[in-house]
Amino acid sequence: MKISFDERNCPICKNPALDMSEINPDIDPGSDEKIIKKYWAGFYKDNVFFPYYRCNCGFLFNRKFPNQESLQMLYSDEKDNVIHGDLELDLKTKKYYLKQLNFSVTDYERKYNILEIGADNGNFLKLLKKIYKNSDLYAIEPNRNMRKDLGEVTNNIFGSIDEINKTQKFDIIIGIHVFDHIPNLNEYFTKLNEKLSPSGFVFGVVHDEKSLMPQIFKHRWPIYRLQHPHLFNHISLNNFFLKYDFKKIFIKRTKNFFNIGYLVNQLFLSLFRLRVRVPNLFSVGLKLGNFCFLYKKNNKF
Ligand SMILES: [Zn+2]
């Protein structure tokens, strides 16, 4: 199947981007299907992504990106969502997210309807289940290979938001590394918002394009990649939620847990294009490249 593209204006303010791109790859895949398919999933030595443009409102995004149909094809080739495959680190990272969330949503005995979009291996839902014991959990996960793991934590698993019962409402919607993967952000968020109860929460984690990591790595920051049609910073994310009249509860830098060996290997690969083999040794939690956020629907309440 051929890859088709959308020409995009700024997903937040709808204006066209500035003429000059701000972040440029070593290799711009243009419309080359072979290159796009090869580099779509995973991290490579070569630095391949669509150029990122800055809008006057501050948002960073690709002007050209595969359309919805083409995306479905590209994502369906993927096997496993957890990029580095290290479940222990994934769990440590998610435990830290939960700590940041549950200081703010503290009514542990209450029955919440909680939906996680892109629920992946279900690790975060498992953690939630321990704390919000009386709550009902729901998951959206398009990748069928993940459903078996998810089945251990909930029976309410959907392939997309459109499969969920029209009248169903949620009190908390969670999206961990989801919002920077969704090109038609407004359309998708409007659907989510319809499913969110009048004083519901949205909790998420995204990459931070103004963090220390891109300052060190420049255009070799591994997060500039084909799967990210846009990237947030604290201000652009806040602009997005203000547009929908949400109230900010917090934006916080969050920790990611890495094996030291992996970090060093990645650093050499990105900066010097060298493959080195440093053993994993031990893991560290670093507040380097991501932030989490909690917003409440409806500013007025
Ligand atoms: Zn804009």
Side-chain angles (χ1 to χ4, degrees), residues 204-208 233-234 237 251-254 290-292:
V205 178
V206 288
H207 300 290
D208 184 357
N233 58 55
H234 295 198
L237 181 99
I251 284 183
K252 292 176 195 166
R253 291 196 299 150
T254 189
N290 298 322
F291 66 92
C292 65

Side-chain angles (χ1 to χ4, degrees), residues 75-106:
Y75 273 114
S76 69
D77 284 345
E78 267 189 313
K79 303 230 159 36
D80 195 321
N81 288 352
V82 179
I83 296 163
H84 313 305
D86 193 321
L87 288 175
E88 201 183 314
L89 293 181
D90 181 58
L91 200 61
K92 272 189 185 173
T93 299
K94 284 175 179 163
K95 273 184 183 162
Y96 193 79
Y97 297 158
L98 182 66
K99 210 163 122 188
Q100 290 178 303
L101 169 68
N102 75 6
F103 283 134
S104 295
V105 185
T106 52

Side-chain angles (χ1 to χ4, degrees), residues 10-15 55-59 61:
C10 172
I12 295 184
C13 75
K14 306 255 171 78
N15 284 319
C55 176
N56 264 327
C57 79
F59 198 41
F61 67 100

